[in-house]
PDB file of all heavy atoms in Angstrom:
ATOM      1  N   GLU A   9     321.820 127.051 -24.805  1.00  0.00           N
ATOM      2  CA  GLU A   9     322.100 126.937 -23.367  1.00  0.00           C
ATOM      3  C   GLU A   9     321.167 125.953 -22.697  1.00  0.00           C
ATOM      4  O   GLU A   9     321.631 125.175 -21.841  1.00  0.00           O
ATOM      5  CB  GLU A   9     321.964 128.292 -22.693  1.00  0.00           C
ATOM      6  CG  GLU A   9     322.364 128.285 -21.223  1.00  0.00           C
ATOM      7  CD  GLU A   9     322.281 129.632 -20.565  1.00  0.00           C
ATOM      8  OE1 GLU A   9     321.351 130.398 -20.856  1.00  0.00           O
ATOM      9  OE2 GLU A   9     323.165 129.955 -19.741  1.00  0.00           O
ATOM     10  N   GLU A  10     319.908 125.912 -23.104  1.00  0.00           N
ATOM     11  CA  GLU A  10     318.964 124.980 -22.517  1.00  0.00           C
ATOM     12  C   GLU A  10     319.337 123.525 -22.828  1.00  0.00           C
ATOM     13  O   GLU A  10     319.237 122.656 -21.988  1.00  0.00           O
ATOM     14  CB  GLU A  10     317.548 125.276 -22.929  1.00  0.00           C
ATOM     15  CG  GLU A  10     316.490 124.445 -22.193  1.00  0.00           C
ATOM     16  CD  GLU A  10     315.077 124.843 -22.452  1.00  0.00           C
ATOM     17  OE1 GLU A  10     314.860 125.823 -23.262  1.00  0.00           O
ATOM     18  OE2 GLU A  10     314.168 124.208 -21.895  1.00  0.00           O
ATOM     19  N   VAL A  11     319.836 123.332 -24.062  1.00  0.00           N
ATOM     20  CA  VAL A  11     320.233 122.000 -24.476  1.00  0.00           C
ATOM     21  C   VAL A  11     321.459 121.579 -23.622  1.00  0.00           C
ATOM     22  O   VAL A  11     321.498 120.450 -23.094  1.00  0.00           O
ATOM     23  CB  VAL A  11     320.608 121.962 -25.974  1.00  0.00           C
ATOM     24  CG1 VAL A  11     321.191 120.592 -26.334  1.00  0.00           C
ATOM     25  CG2 VAL A  11     319.396 122.266 -26.815  1.00  0.00           C
ATOM     26  N   LEU A  12     322.448 122.451 -23.486  1.00  0.00           N
ATOM     27  CA  LEU A  12     323.670 122.139 -22.733  1.00  0.00           C
ATOM     28  C   LEU A  12     323.346 121.872 -21.253  1.00  0.00           C
ATOM     29  O   LEU A  12     323.916 120.988 -20.658  1.00  0.00           O
ATOM     30  CB  LEU A  12     324.694 123.266 -22.881  1.00  0.00           C
ATOM     31  CG  LEU A  12     325.233 123.479 -24.275  1.00  0.00           C
ATOM     32  CD1 LEU A  12     326.161 124.686 -24.313  1.00  0.00           C
ATOM     33  CD2 LEU A  12     325.986 122.236 -24.754  1.00  0.00           C
ATOM     34  N   ASN A  13     322.458 122.698 -20.705  1.00  0.00           N
ATOM     35  CA  ASN A  13     322.089 122.499 -19.302  1.00  0.00           C
ATOM     36  C   ASN A  13     321.381 121.166 -19.066  1.00  0.00           C
ATOM     37  O   ASN A  13     321.580 120.495 -18.071  1.00  0.00           O
ATOM     38  CB  ASN A  13     321.132 123.638 -18.825  1.00  0.00           C
ATOM     39  CG  ASN A  13     321.905 124.945 -18.618  1.00  0.00           C
ATOM     40  OD1 ASN A  13     323.104 124.984 -18.518  1.00  0.00           O
ATOM     41  ND2 ASN A  13     321.165 126.041 -18.641  1.00  0.00           N
ATOM     42  N   ALA A  14     320.576 120.772 -20.027  1.00  0.00           N
ATOM     43  CA  ALA A  14     319.881 119.476 -19.928  1.00  0.00           C
ATOM     44  C   ALA A  14     320.882 118.362 -20.020  1.00  0.00           C
ATOM     45  O   ALA A  14     320.841 117.380 -19.237  1.00  0.00           O
ATOM     46  CB  ALA A  14     318.830 119.333 -21.017  1.00  0.00           C
ATOM     47  N   ALA A  15     321.809 118.427 -20.974  1.00  0.00           N
ATOM     48  CA  ALA A  15     322.817 117.388 -21.143  1.00  0.00           C
ATOM     49  C   ALA A  15     323.757 117.287 -19.923  1.00  0.00           C
ATOM     50  O   ALA A  15     324.241 116.223 -19.560  1.00  0.00           O
ATOM     51  CB  ALA A  15     323.643 117.665 -22.417  1.00  0.00           C
ATOM     52  N   ALA A  16     323.976 118.452 -19.262  1.00  0.00           N
ATOM     53  CA  ALA A  16     324.885 118.507 -18.130  1.00  0.00           C
ATOM     54  C   ALA A  16     324.331 117.812 -16.887  1.00  0.00           C
ATOM     55  O   ALA A  16     325.088 117.697 -15.889  1.00  0.00           O
ATOM     56  CB  ALA A  16     325.232 119.951 -17.808  1.00  0.00           C
ATOM     57  N   THR A  17     323.068 117.412 -16.923  1.00  0.00           N
ATOM     58  CA  THR A  17     322.562 116.663 -15.791  1.00  0.00           C
ATOM     59  C   THR A  17     323.189 115.264 -15.687  1.00  0.00           C
ATOM     60  O   THR A  17     323.047 114.629 -14.668  1.00  0.00           O
ATOM     61  CB  THR A  17     321.018 116.531 -15.883  1.00  0.00           C
ATOM     62  OG1 THR A  17     320.654 115.884 -17.089  1.00  0.00           O
ATOM     63  CG2 THR A  17     320.352 117.916 -15.821  1.00  0.00           C
ATOM     64  N   LYS A  18     323.851 114.798 -16.766  1.00  0.00           N
ATOM     65  CA  LYS A  18     324.600 113.572 -16.681  1.00  0.00           C
ATOM     66  C   LYS A  18     325.977 113.891 -16.107  1.00  0.00           C
ATOM     67  O   LYS A  18     326.617 114.881 -16.498  1.00  0.00           O
ATOM     68  CB  LYS A  18     324.739 112.923 -18.071  1.00  0.00           C
ATOM     69  CG  LYS A  18     325.340 111.517 -17.977  1.00  0.00           C
ATOM     70  CD  LYS A  18     325.436 110.851 -19.331  1.00  0.00           C
ATOM     71  CE  LYS A  18     326.042 109.456 -19.163  1.00  0.00           C
ATOM     72  NZ  LYS A  18     326.294 108.774 -20.501  1.00  0.00           N
ATOM     73  N   TRP A  19     326.461 113.043 -15.164  1.00  0.00           N
ATOM     74  CA  TRP A  19     327.611 113.330 -14.362  1.00  0.00           C
ATOM     75  C   TRP A  19     328.887 113.550 -15.175  1.00  0.00           C
ATOM     76  O   TRP A  19     329.789 114.320 -14.777  1.00  0.00           O
ATOM     77  CB  TRP A  19     327.851 112.226 -13.336  1.00  0.00           C
ATOM     78  CG  TRP A  19     328.465 110.967 -13.900  1.00  0.00           C
ATOM     79  CD1 TRP A  19     329.790 110.693 -13.980  1.00  0.00           C
ATOM     80  CD2 TRP A  19     327.788 109.898 -14.543  1.00  0.00           C
ATOM     81  NE1 TRP A  19     329.971 109.475 -14.578  1.00  0.00           N
ATOM     82  CE2 TRP A  19     328.758 108.942 -14.936  1.00  0.00           C
ATOM     83  CE3 TRP A  19     326.440 109.606 -14.788  1.00  0.00           C
ATOM     84  CZ2 TRP A  19     328.467 107.762 -15.577  1.00  0.00           C
ATOM     85  CZ3 TRP A  19     326.103 108.423 -15.399  1.00  0.00           C
ATOM     86  CH2 TRP A  19     327.098 107.503 -15.815  1.00  0.00           C
ATOM     87  N   ASN A  20     329.003 112.899 -16.348  1.00  0.00           N
ATOM     88  CA  ASN A  20     330.252 112.995 -17.090  1.00  0.00           C
ATOM     89  C   ASN A  20     330.189 113.902 -18.324  1.00  0.00           C
ATOM     90  O   ASN A  20     331.089 113.859 -19.174  1.00  0.00           O
ATOM     91  CB  ASN A  20     330.750 111.593 -17.497  1.00  0.00           C
ATOM     92  CG  ASN A  20     329.744 110.841 -18.376  1.00  0.00           C
ATOM     93  OD1 ASN A  20     328.602 111.347 -18.550  1.00  0.00           O
ATOM     94  ND2 ASN A  20     330.116 109.692 -18.844  1.00  0.00           N
ATOM     95  N   PHE A  21     329.160 114.701 -18.413  1.00  0.00           N
ATOM     96  CA  PHE A  21     329.062 115.690 -19.512  1.00  0.00           C
ATOM     97  C   PHE A  21     329.914 116.888 -19.150  1.00  0.00           C
ATOM     98  O   PHE A  21     329.818 117.460 -18.055  1.00  0.00           O
ATOM     99  CB  PHE A  21     327.622 116.093 -19.764  1.00  0.00           C
ATOM    100  CG  PHE A  21     327.433 117.014 -20.938  1.00  0.00           C
ATOM    101  CD1 PHE A  21     327.346 116.460 -22.234  1.00  0.00           C
ATOM    102  CD2 PHE A  21     327.408 118.380 -20.798  1.00  0.00           C
ATOM    103  CE1 PHE A  21     327.168 117.281 -23.322  1.00  0.00           C
ATOM    104  CE2 PHE A  21     327.251 119.220 -21.897  1.00  0.00           C
ATOM    105  CZ  PHE A  21     327.171 118.660 -23.167  1.00  0.00           C
ATOM    106  N   LEU A  22     330.792 117.312 -20.051  1.00  0.00           N
ATOM    107  CA  LEU A  22     331.721 118.414 -19.802  1.00  0.00           C
ATOM    108  C   LEU A  22     331.026 119.784 -20.020  1.00  0.00           C
ATOM    109  O   LEU A  22     330.448 119.996 -21.078  1.00  0.00           O
ATOM    110  CB  LEU A  22     332.952 118.315 -20.703  1.00  0.00           C
ATOM    111  CG  LEU A  22     333.753 117.019 -20.517  1.00  0.00           C
ATOM    112  CD1 LEU A  22     334.910 116.991 -21.514  1.00  0.00           C
ATOM    113  CD2 LEU A  22     334.272 116.875 -19.109  1.00  0.00           C
ATOM    114  N   PRO A  23     331.076 120.707 -19.059  1.00  0.00           N
ATOM    115  CA  PRO A  23     330.325 121.942 -19.130  1.00  0.00           C
ATOM    116  C   PRO A  23     330.983 123.080 -19.930  1.00  0.00           C
ATOM    117  O   PRO A  23     331.271 124.137 -19.380  1.00  0.00           O
ATOM    118  CB  PRO A  23     330.185 122.324 -17.636  1.00  0.00           C
ATOM    119  CG  PRO A  23     331.446 121.831 -17.032  1.00  0.00           C
ATOM    120  CD  PRO A  23     331.806 120.550 -17.769  1.00  0.00           C
ATOM    121  N   PHE A  24     331.243 122.839 -21.214  1.00  0.00           N
ATOM    122  CA  PHE A  24     331.788 123.895 -22.043  1.00  0.00           C
ATOM    123  C   PHE A  24     330.625 124.699 -22.672  1.00  0.00           C
ATOM    124  O   PHE A  24     329.534 124.173 -22.917  1.00  0.00           O
ATOM    125  CB  PHE A  24     332.677 123.305 -23.116  1.00  0.00           C
ATOM    126  CG  PHE A  24     333.982 122.881 -22.602  1.00  0.00           C
ATOM    127  CD1 PHE A  24     334.161 121.564 -22.182  1.00  0.00           C
ATOM    128  CD2 PHE A  24     335.060 123.736 -22.497  1.00  0.00           C
ATOM    129  CE1 PHE A  24     335.389 121.122 -21.658  1.00  0.00           C
ATOM    130  CE2 PHE A  24     336.299 123.292 -22.011  1.00  0.00           C
ATOM    131  CZ  PHE A  24     336.442 122.009 -21.586  1.00  0.00           C
ATOM    132  N   LYS A  25     330.933 125.987 -22.977  1.00  0.00           N
ATOM    133  CA  LYS A  25     329.944 126.865 -23.588  1.00  0.00           C
ATOM    134  C   LYS A  25     330.498 127.462 -24.877  1.00  0.00           C
ATOM    135  O   LYS A  25     331.698 127.616 -25.020  1.00  0.00           O
ATOM    136  CB  LYS A  25     329.567 128.004 -22.603  1.00  0.00           C
ATOM    137  CG  LYS A  25     328.849 127.501 -21.350  1.00  0.00           C
ATOM    138  CD  LYS A  25     328.441 128.671 -20.437  1.00  0.00           C
ATOM    139  CE  LYS A  25     327.690 128.167 -19.239  1.00  0.00           C
ATOM    140  NZ  LYS A  25     327.277 129.278 -18.324  1.00  0.00           N
ATOM    141  N   PRO A  26     329.560 127.828 -25.782  1.00  0.00           N
ATOM    142  CA  PRO A  26     330.058 128.444 -27.071  1.00  0.00           C
ATOM    143  C   PRO A  26     330.555 129.854 -26.827  1.00  0.00           C
ATOM    144  O   PRO A  26     330.220 130.495 -25.819  1.00  0.00           O
ATOM    145  CB  PRO A  26     328.772 128.425 -27.922  1.00  0.00           C
ATOM    146  CG  PRO A  26     327.660 128.493 -26.917  1.00  0.00           C
ATOM    147  CD  PRO A  26     328.078 127.676 -25.754  1.00  0.00           C
ATOM    148  N   GLY A  27     331.371 130.335 -27.735  1.00  0.00           N
ATOM    149  CA  GLY A  27     331.865 131.703 -27.634  1.00  0.00           C
ATOM    150  C   GLY A  27     333.052 131.963 -28.515  1.00  0.00           C
ATOM    151  O   GLY A  27     333.568 131.077 -29.246  1.00  0.00           O
ATOM    152  N   LEU A  28     333.543 133.153 -28.459  1.00  0.00           N
ATOM    153  CA  LEU A  28     334.741 133.557 -29.198  1.00  0.00           C
ATOM    154  C   LEU A  28     335.963 133.001 -28.463  1.00  0.00           C
ATOM    155  O   LEU A  28     336.049 133.115 -27.268  1.00  0.00           O
ATOM    156  CB  LEU A  28     334.825 135.068 -29.335  1.00  0.00           C
ATOM    157  CG  LEU A  28     333.614 135.809 -29.906  1.00  0.00           C
ATOM    158  CD1 LEU A  28     333.793 137.300 -29.850  1.00  0.00           C
ATOM    159  CD2 LEU A  28     333.338 135.338 -31.317  1.00  0.00           C
ATOM    160  N   VAL A  29     336.918 132.496 -29.230  1.00  0.00           N
ATOM    161  CA  VAL A  29     338.130 131.930 -28.634  1.00  0.00           C
ATOM    162  C   VAL A  29     339.332 132.741 -29.072  1.00  0.00           C
ATOM    163  O   VAL A  29     339.778 132.709 -30.213  1.00  0.00           O
ATOM    164  CB  VAL A  29     338.298 130.473 -29.077  1.00  0.00           C
ATOM    165  CG1 VAL A  29     339.632 129.896 -28.420  1.00  0.00           C
ATOM    166  CG2 VAL A  29     337.083 129.642 -28.663  1.00  0.00           C
ATOM    167  N   GLY A  30     339.868 133.527 -28.165  1.00  0.00           N
ATOM    168  CA  GLY A  30     341.009 134.367 -28.442  1.00  0.00           C
ATOM    169  C   GLY A  30     342.028 134.278 -27.326  1.00  0.00           C
ATOM    170  O   GLY A  30     342.131 133.274 -26.643  1.00  0.00           O
ATOM    171  N   GLY A  31     342.819 135.355 -27.148  1.00  0.00           N
ATOM    172  CA  GLY A  31     343.820 135.395 -26.139  1.00  0.00           C
ATOM    173  C   GLY A  31     345.129 134.799 -26.603  1.00  0.00           C
ATOM    174  O   GLY A  31     345.280 134.284 -27.704  1.00  0.00           O
ATOM    175  N   HIS A  32     346.101 134.803 -25.682  1.00  0.00           N
ATOM    176  CA  HIS A  32     347.441 134.388 -26.020  1.00  0.00           C
ATOM    177  C   HIS A  32     347.661 132.908 -25.789  1.00  0.00           C
ATOM    178  O   HIS A  32     348.755 132.392 -26.065  1.00  0.00           O
ATOM    179  CB  HIS A  32     348.472 135.183 -25.183  1.00  0.00           C
ATOM    180  CG  HIS A  32     349.893 134.967 -25.624  1.00  0.00           C
ATOM    181  ND1 HIS A  32     350.327 135.293 -26.870  1.00  0.00           N
ATOM    182  CD2 HIS A  32     350.918 134.424 -24.951  1.00  0.00           C
ATOM    183  CE1 HIS A  32     351.616 134.966 -26.947  1.00  0.00           C
ATOM    184  NE2 HIS A  32     352.007 134.444 -25.828  1.00  0.00           N
ATOM    185  N   CYS A  33     346.640 132.203 -25.350  1.00  0.00           N
ATOM    186  CA  CYS A  33     346.832 130.777 -24.992  1.00  0.00           C
ATOM    187  C   CYS A  33     345.989 129.832 -25.874  1.00  0.00           C
ATOM    188  O   CYS A  33     346.552 129.160 -26.752  1.00  0.00           O
ATOM    189  CB  CYS A  33     346.535 130.564 -23.523  1.00  0.00           C
ATOM    190  SG  CYS A  33     347.592 131.450 -22.372  1.00  0.00           S
ATOM    191  N   ILE A  34     344.692 129.814 -25.608  1.00  0.00           N
ATOM    192  CA  ILE A  34     343.844 128.825 -26.298  1.00  0.00           C
ATOM    193  C   ILE A  34     343.863 129.005 -27.782  1.00  0.00           C
ATOM    194  O   ILE A  34     343.843 128.049 -28.548  1.00  0.00           O
ATOM    195  CB  ILE A  34     342.394 128.896 -25.742  1.00  0.00           C
ATOM    196  CG1 ILE A  34     342.395 128.617 -24.221  1.00  0.00           C
ATOM    197  CG2 ILE A  34     341.496 127.884 -26.477  1.00  0.00           C
ATOM    198  CD1 ILE A  34     341.014 128.713 -23.610  1.00  0.00           C
ATOM    199  N   GLY A  35     343.881 130.254 -28.258  1.00  0.00           N
ATOM    200  CA  GLY A  35     343.860 130.489 -29.710  1.00  0.00           C
ATOM    201  C   GLY A  35     345.178 130.396 -30.362  1.00  0.00           C
ATOM    202  O   GLY A  35     345.313 130.551 -31.568  1.00  0.00           O
ATOM    203  N   VAL A  36     346.261 130.127 -29.561  1.00  0.00           N
ATOM    204  CA  VAL A  36     347.614 130.101 -30.094  1.00  0.00           C
ATOM    205  C   VAL A  36     348.284 128.751 -29.887  1.00  0.00           C
ATOM    206  O   VAL A  36     348.894 128.193 -30.846  1.00  0.00           O
ATOM    207  CB  VAL A  36     348.514 131.177 -29.391  1.00  0.00           C
ATOM    208  CG1 VAL A  36     349.959 131.064 -29.786  1.00  0.00           C
ATOM    209  CG2 VAL A  36     347.964 132.578 -29.763  1.00  0.00           C
ATOM    210  N   ASP A  37     348.216 128.183 -28.686  1.00  0.00           N
ATOM    211  CA  ASP A  37     348.962 127.005 -28.325  1.00  0.00           C
ATOM    212  C   ASP A  37     348.743 125.820 -29.283  1.00  0.00           C
ATOM    213  O   ASP A  37     349.721 125.088 -29.586  1.00  0.00           O
ATOM    214  CB  ASP A  37     348.644 126.568 -26.898  1.00  0.00           C
ATOM    215  CG  ASP A  37     349.139 127.605 -25.872  1.00  0.00           C
ATOM    216  OD1 ASP A  37     349.786 128.604 -26.254  1.00  0.00           O
ATOM    217  OD2 ASP A  37     348.879 127.390 -24.683  1.00  0.00           O
ATOM    218  N   PRO A  38     347.532 125.516 -29.735  1.00  0.00           N
ATOM    219  CA  PRO A  38     347.365 124.389 -30.639  1.00  0.00           C
ATOM    220  C   PRO A  38     348.229 124.469 -31.901  1.00  0.00           C
ATOM    221  O   PRO A  38     348.651 123.425 -32.435  1.00  0.00           O
ATOM    222  CB  PRO A  38     345.844 124.452 -31.012  1.00  0.00           C
ATOM    223  CG  PRO A  38     345.222 125.122 -29.829  1.00  0.00           C
ATOM    224  CD  PRO A  38     346.210 126.165 -29.394  1.00  0.00           C
ATOM    225  N   TYR A  39     348.487 125.665 -32.399  1.00  0.00           N
ATOM    226  CA  TYR A  39     349.321 125.809 -33.565  1.00  0.00           C
ATOM    227  C   TYR A  39     350.772 125.369 -33.331  1.00  0.00           C
ATOM    228  O   TYR A  39     351.462 124.961 -34.242  1.00  0.00           O
ATOM    229  CB  TYR A  39     349.295 127.260 -34.096  1.00  0.00           C
ATOM    230  CG  TYR A  39     347.953 127.659 -34.713  1.00  0.00           C
ATOM    231  CD1 TYR A  39     347.246 128.738 -34.200  1.00  0.00           C
ATOM    232  CD2 TYR A  39     347.482 126.943 -35.798  1.00  0.00           C
ATOM    233  CE1 TYR A  39     346.032 129.079 -34.764  1.00  0.00           C
ATOM    234  CE2 TYR A  39     346.271 127.310 -36.370  1.00  0.00           C
ATOM    235  CZ  TYR A  39     345.560 128.375 -35.897  1.00  0.00           C
ATOM    236  OH  TYR A  39     344.359 128.737 -36.456  1.00  0.00           O
ATOM    237  N   TYR A  40     351.256 125.485 -32.073  1.00  0.00           N
ATOM    238  CA  TYR A  40     352.585 124.997 -31.777  1.00  0.00           C
ATOM    239  C   TYR A  40     352.624 123.497 -31.912  1.00  0.00           C
ATOM    240  O   TYR A  40     353.596 122.933 -32.436  1.00  0.00           O
ATOM    241  CB  TYR A  40     352.988 125.421 -30.368  1.00  0.00           C
ATOM    242  CG  TYR A  40     353.615 126.804 -30.324  1.00  0.00           C
ATOM    243  CD1 TYR A  40     352.796 127.938 -30.427  1.00  0.00           C
ATOM    244  CD2 TYR A  40     354.960 127.005 -30.220  1.00  0.00           C
ATOM    245  CE1 TYR A  40     353.346 129.227 -30.407  1.00  0.00           C
ATOM    246  CE2 TYR A  40     355.510 128.247 -30.210  1.00  0.00           C
ATOM    247  CZ  TYR A  40     354.730 129.374 -30.298  1.00  0.00           C
ATOM    248  OH  TYR A  40     355.281 130.631 -30.286  1.00  0.00           O
TER     249      TYR A  40
END
């Protein structure tokens, strides 16, 4: 988190975070 927060001080760094990816959308749609 500290690394990501530091990198996010640049205006074009995308603020994504690690975690489990489930649900009916993100974990499914790419397979289509």
Side-chain angles (χ1 to χ4, degrees):
E9 186 178 38
E10 188 173 359
V11 175
L12 295 175
N13 287 342
T17 58
K18 189 178 181 185
W19 77 93
N20 59 353
F21 186 83
L22 300 177
F24 286 91
K25 294 182 178 180
L28 306 176
V29 181
H32 190 61
C33 297
I34 300 178
V36 172
D37 293 359
Y39 289 121
Y40 274 76

